[in-house]
Amino acid sequence: MALAADPVPRRAALASGLGYAALYLWLIGDLDLTGDAAWRWQLGRLEWAHVLQARAPFLYEAVALVQAGRLMWLISPMNLLITALLAGLLAANVHGMLALRRGAATHCRTGRGGATGGALPALLAGSACCAPSILLLLGIPALGAFVGLFAWLIPLSLLLLVLSRGWQRWWGAPRLFGR
């Protein structure tokens, strides 16, 4: 079966991308489970100044609230854009890693270690949203030492994911969509 036509890496990539997007939105506080079950929506100000208003580096204000049962979602267009970029690049990296790993037996250019190594930058880059939470568990002194680095985590993640996907494509990983 051709690598590009194999549906297993695509399904795994889609699942990992959607899972990462949900986890990222939950960790930044845009997605949450509430105690009361209600069905409502509320629209805030749709002015560009409000949409682009940052609460923290790469964390923006919400313009709408949707509550469906216990699930509450604060909709922020800029946070959704960042989430889509990170989740899409992560999914592309997972797809490339799985496709290269499946094809390693017949298209061996690097061996199995090279295909698995292609996922390492994607996995490291995925810590952009989780690193602050882990540092909170380590304690306030560790958090204070690294607080200056938090503003660089999202751009660094995007760069590492793009470089990793480029590396995978150079070694022969198929495109995620199309031929």
Side-chain angles (χ1 to χ4, degrees), residues 13-166:
L14 180 65
S16 65
L18 290 175
Y20 180 82
L23 180 66
Y24 183 80
L25 288 173
W26 179 66
L27 287 173
I28 65 172
D30 281 2
L31 198 60
D32 201 5
L33 294 175
T34 62
D36 59 336
W39 296 86
R40 66 184 173 120
W41 66 276
Q42 182 178 351
L43 188 61
R45 296 182 313 178
L46 290 177
E47 302 164 356
W48 280 109
H50 185 69
V51 169
L52 299 174
Q53 184 179 0
R55 291 183 279 166
F58 300 101
L59 190 60
Y60 296 90
E61 288 292 334
V63 296
L65 173 126
V66 175
Q67 186 171 359
R70 291 181 38 124
L71 182 69
M72 184 177 65
W73 182 20
L74 296 173
I75 299 174
S76 167
M78 295 304 292
N79 287 345
L80 288 176
L81 177 66
I82 292 170
T83 302
L85 280 171
L86 287 171
L89 284 169
L90 180 81
N93 276 276
V94 168
H95 175 263
M97 185 263 310
L98 292 175
L100 284 175
R101 189 167 188 166
R102 282 187 154 225
T106 57
H107 301 76
C108 188
R109 286 172 77 177
T110 62
R112 287 187 163 264
T116 305
L120 189 60
L123 295 174
L124 291 175
S127 66
C129 70
C130 305
S133 301
I134 292 171
L135 285 175
L136 279 174
L137 293 175
L138 295 176
I140 298 301
L143 183 64
F146 291 103
V147 78
L149 298 174
F150 290 163
W152 292 93
L153 288 177
I154 298 292
L156 181 65
S157 296
L158 289 171
L159 177 68
L160 286 174
L161 287 166
V162 166
L163 290 175
S164 173
R165 184 57 180 166

